[in-house]
Amino acid sequence: DSGVTQTPKHLITATGQRVTLRCSPRSGDLSVYWYQQSLDQGLQFLIQYYNGEERAKGNILERFSAQQFPDLHSELNLSSLELGDSALYFCASSPGQGAYEQYFGPGTRLTVT
Amino acid sequence: AQSVTQLGSHVSVSEGALVLLRCNYSSSVPPYLFWYVQYPNQGLQLLLKYTSAATLVKGINGFEAEFKKSETSFHLTKPSAHMRDAAEYFCAVSVAAGNKLTFGGGTRVLVKP
């Protein structure tokens, strides 16, 4: 158990809908990262937050957004969903300052039908 | 920009045999390198990391990896495979503490009895 929690574990929704994925980092970790894992794209970095502020952006679509709250949990919002958004979404956390490794949650499997 | 190439998307080994997973990286600055393992329906677990200290790095579950700058490689080995080693393994690179991870395509390991 990495100490990173993600909810829900599975999500099935229809095209055009909007969903919210939630992540709670390890106790004390200030950085949260979101990654998408799909068969065709592999593991791709989406976005990073550090202590409530956006730190870096990767291949994140404009239909996707994220935020980190004062209690350091983070949410990833996916809207106008398309079939191609079906994937595993992972959250990872790290202490931030001077830390290199990231600890991953169990993931949320999103299926868009 | 950094990138990672994992040679062989699938590797099959016999129980008790050597496990060798290949990873080559590209980075414009000194890299920090990681190996993660993903068991079925689970998140990624950190196996080991290289952060510019010793070039031979020992990790969990009997795995180790050697950083070779001249070959831009960070291959993962385990002297004797066990059935529980069947999983997918990912090599990743980062360019600084707190930065995103860039992953290779992964290598799925099958262990034959």
Side-chain angles (χ1 to χ4, degrees):
Chain A
D1 184 355
S2 67
V4 179
T5 60
Q6 290 186 249
T7 56
K9 197 172 175 64
H10 299 278
L11 202 47
I12 301 174
T13 190
T15 54
Q17 294 299 303
R18 173 189 168 95
V19 297
T20 297
L21 282 53
R22 182 188 169 104
C23 167
S24 292
R26 296 187 322 157
S27 177
D29 283 359
L30 299 178
S31 264
V32 168
Y33 309 77
W34 287 96
Y35 293 86
Q36 179 194 59
Q37 184 179 33
S38 62
L39 283 175
D40 51 347
Q41 298 287 334
L43 267 161
Q44 297 235 334
F45 167 71
L46 294 178
I47 196 164
Q48 177 197 1
Y49 278 81
Y50 176 80
N51 204 19
E53 297 201 358
E54 184 183 302
R55 176 64 64 91
K57 250 181 176 175
N59 299 323
I60 188 165
L61 299 171
E62 284 193 14
R63 301 183 284 108
F64 296 1
S65 65
Q67 55 185 326
Q68 187 179 28
F69 294 87
D71 68 351
L72 300 177
H73 90 272
S74 178
E75 293 180 356
L76 179 67
N77 301 295
L78 315 176
S79 61
S80 303
L81 285 167
E82 302 174 0
L83 294 178
D85 298 327
S86 296
L88 255 176
Y89 290 85
F90 286 111
C91 166
S93 76
S94 80
Q97 297 290 355
Y100 299 94
E101 64 268 29
Q102 297 174 22
Y103 298 90
F104 283 75
T108 292
R109 182 172 294 281
L110 173 66
T111 302
V112 182
T113 62
Chain B
Q2 61 271 25
S3 65
V4 176
T5 301
Q6 290 184 239
L7 286 174
S9 58
H10 291 79
V11 166
S12 181
V13 298
S14 296
E15 193 172 18
L18 171 74
V19 179
L20 170 61
L21 305 182
R22 299 179 187 276
C23 170
N24 287 87
Y25 68 90
S26 171
S27 176
S28 56
V29 298
Y32 303 99
L33 296 158
F34 308 84
W35 276 99
Y36 283 85
V37 59
Q38 185 179 25
Y39 298 103
N41 300 314
Q42 292 188 29
L44 284 78
Q45 181 183 4
L46 180 66
L47 274 179
L48 49 79
K49 63 183 180 186
Y50 166 77
T51 56
S52 77
T55 56
L56 182 61
V57 181
K58 292 189 185 299
I60 62 172
N61 301 341
F63 285 93
E64 64 180 37
E66 186 172 9
F67 172 68
K68 291 187 177 180
K69 184 178 177 181
S70 61
E71 299 177 8
T72 61
S73 69
F74 190 57
H75 302 332
L76 182 71
T77 60
K78 181 173 180 177
S80 176
H82 193 276
M83 297 300 290
R84 65 173 171 258
D85 297 326
E88 190 157 20
Y89 293 78
F90 292 91
C91 183
V93 64
S94 177
V95 295
N99 266 39
K100 67 174 185 178
L101 295 174
T102 299
F103 287 90
T107 298
R108 190 172 296 278
V109 173
L110 172 66
V111 182
K112 299 177 294 185

